[in-house]
Amino acid sequence: MPLDDRYADKFLRNMQILRGSEIKHCIDQLGRFRIQIFREYPYLYDGSIEYERTYLSRYSMTPESLLIILEDALGIVGACTGIPLAGEDPEFQNAFVGEIKEEIYYIGEVMLRADSRGKKLGSRLMSTALDLIDSNQFKKISLCTVDRGLSHSREPLGYSPPDYLWKKYGFEKSKNFMAYLDWKDIGHDVETRKPLNIWFRQHSKKMKSSL
């Protein structure tokens, strides 16, 4: 077995899969992990645990929401969240005008700690999430990626976006939809509006585990 597969399998044996109200007891832990990961480029998010508690509370109040966690002795190694689009913030839903929102499931994030990237954990998180999303209820799956443009002063040398992962699982970047969210960048005093690319994937029983 390749080394990366052995590394991934070690965590998969202790994978936690939580739904709806089960997520409540993990909100602070997940919120701190989001703050840690999203401080990195391209998000550069200067977050607070107070905001995270408010934002993540909707996951614990939505029965079909999803949280997958991988951990080691140091804490969370990786996490994936998902929620029906209809359970997301109403202003965010407005970006999907013309779509049947009740038929879209939204992947909030696939996050990995820096020392665990490039070892197939992101693929395992995504494939697990796709298998858990009800294809009878949800016909499309969506996710968003922040768009910092072609050049940015904080972009690390050699940075490569994880678009390959989304494409691997059948997601296509929409040419017709963009979302916009406000948050405060590291080193800034006020929130500014950020554009996000919206990706879609057709969801069916046949596609769920075929990739």
Side-chain angles (χ1 to χ4, degrees), residues 67-104:
L67 170 60
I68 306 171
I69 293 180
L70 304 174
E71 292 183 284
D72 65 7
L74 300 177
I76 297 180
V77 171
C80 176
T81 66
I83 190 170
L85 181 62
E88 260 291 354
D89 181 79
E91 183 178 355
F92 178 71
Q93 293 182 43
N94 290 338
F96 295 79
V97 61
E99 292 286 333
I100 303 174
K101 298 170 187 175
E102 291 75 18
E103 294 185 354
I104 299 175

Side-chain angles (χ1 to χ4, degrees), residues 33-126:
F33 188 62
R34 277 170 43 91
I35 291 170
Q36 172 191 341
I37 299 302
F38 289 152
R39 284 184 68 85
E40 301 173 23
Y41 185 86
Y43 289 89
L44 304 175
Y45 168 61
D46 187 5
S48 70
I49 193 61
E50 291 77 20
Y51 171 81
E52 292 296 317
R53 287 169 180 159
T54 300
Y55 171 73
L56 293 171
S57 65
R58 63 170 53 94
Y59 282 78
S60 66
M61 295 186 291
T62 306
E64 300 92 347
S65 63
L66 171 67
L67 170 60
I68 306 171
I69 293 180
L70 304 174
E71 292 183 284
D72 65 7
L74 300 177
I76 297 180
V77 171
C80 176
T81 66
I83 190 170
L85 181 62
E88 260 291 354
D89 181 79
E91 183 178 355
F92 178 71
Q93 293 182 43
N94 290 338
F96 295 79
V97 61
E99 292 286 333
I100 303 174
K101 298 170 187 175
E102 291 75 18
E103 294 185 354
I104 299 175
Y105 197 92
Y106 179 67
I107 298 291
E109 51 256 328
V110 178
M111 305 176 289
L112 291 173
R113 204 171 63 199
D115 61 351
S116 297
R117 295 171 192 162
K119 300 175 181 177
K120 297 189 177 181
L121 290 180
S123 291
R124 301 298 181 88
L125 286 169
M126 178 63 83

